[in-house]
Amino acid sequence: MMERRHKRRTRGKPKKKKRFTALYISCIVLLLVAVGGYLFRKQLTLVAFDWFVSPTLESKLEKSYQPRQSKEQQPQETIAYQKEPFSVLLLGTDQRPNEKARGRSDTVIYAAVRPAESRVLLISIPRDTYVQIAGHDSNRDGEDDFDKLGHAYAFGGEDMSMATVEKLMEHKVDYYATINFQGIQDAVNAVGGVVLPIDQPIENKNPLHIKFRIEAGKPLYNGEEAMYYVRYREDSDFNRTKRQQIFLNAMADRLLNIDGITKIPELLDIMGANFTTDMEPAFITGLGKQAISQGNPQISSFTITGEGFKKKGLYYDRANEQELEYARLMIANWLDSDTTPQTLRLPDKQDIQ
């Protein structure tokens, strides 16, 4: 009887050993997969872009592609590796749903893009900045009218906005990209929310403004909260433009992962007519693939401040001339193809993500 017990014990040991060995091997395999996924996350994201995004992205972008009416654009060269710097005027409009009027540009950002280094410079210009609106002469005195920068879009759409910003910044704008705030709300909801650094509640208290309150410390904020975050202005126009830059960085972080990348075609469907650009679909797709292969882009931000004043009962913002000139010098440096990463001029006031 003792012999039978001993045999039973000896027969049970190999099974336990095999189970332990299988578990050990499984753990090693899982560890290797996890480490490999981390080390090769760029390659995996690029594969996801090629497999799930590229086949449909260009066709989706065709709906948003709107060449400018003011002049015939040169065909945009589609090459595997974009090297030359270029500029884009980013416009966020306040057009309400079902409104025929254009609305105004609530957000105006001059972006200098250096695709070879995956770097972007965002120069934010407050919408109330007092500027000469290029091509708008309402009293027909032969001089372009002075008005708020945001009104350029209402008077003449992207063309007039681009011409006005070119005149102000003394640098050419190559392309535009316009998004309606409804599009921002829908896009944020589509990616499951966005991370925003809100450490105290944000609340509209002015009785003339839309009532809302954004709670602090949430892990993710939904589309409506994100829209209110970028539009809140009861503290200052300067802080408002900084929030817009923070939001753009946060959305870029959200999209530049495998889950976010695969949702881009869906986002374009959701945004629909709320997003327009004169960058050709193949050009955008090529830039996206290049950015993924090179790693997350570095975004440097600068906001042109100013001093508020009233004229005929209306509030305007007079741009600080020193900061305006400083921004012009930075743009010249960033758009110069001979500028190296070592000689790239970074803003004194910057947020690099």
Side-chain angles (χ1 to χ4, degrees), residues 17 34 43-44 58 78 111 126 131 220 238 241 287 299 308 316 351:
K17 187 175 182 181
Q43 290 86 339
L44 289 172
E58 287 190 31
T78 304
V131 297
L220 288 172
F238 174 78
T241 53
L287 285 173
I299 302 176
Y316 298 92
D351 292 309

Side-chain angles (χ1 to χ4, degrees), residues 121 300-302 326 330 334 345-351:
L121 172 66
S300 302
S301 302
F302 183 79
Y326 181 72
M330 273 195 298
W334 279 65
R345 190 165 188 166
L346 296 176
D348 291 334
K349 303 172 184 177
Q350 61 177 319
D351 292 309

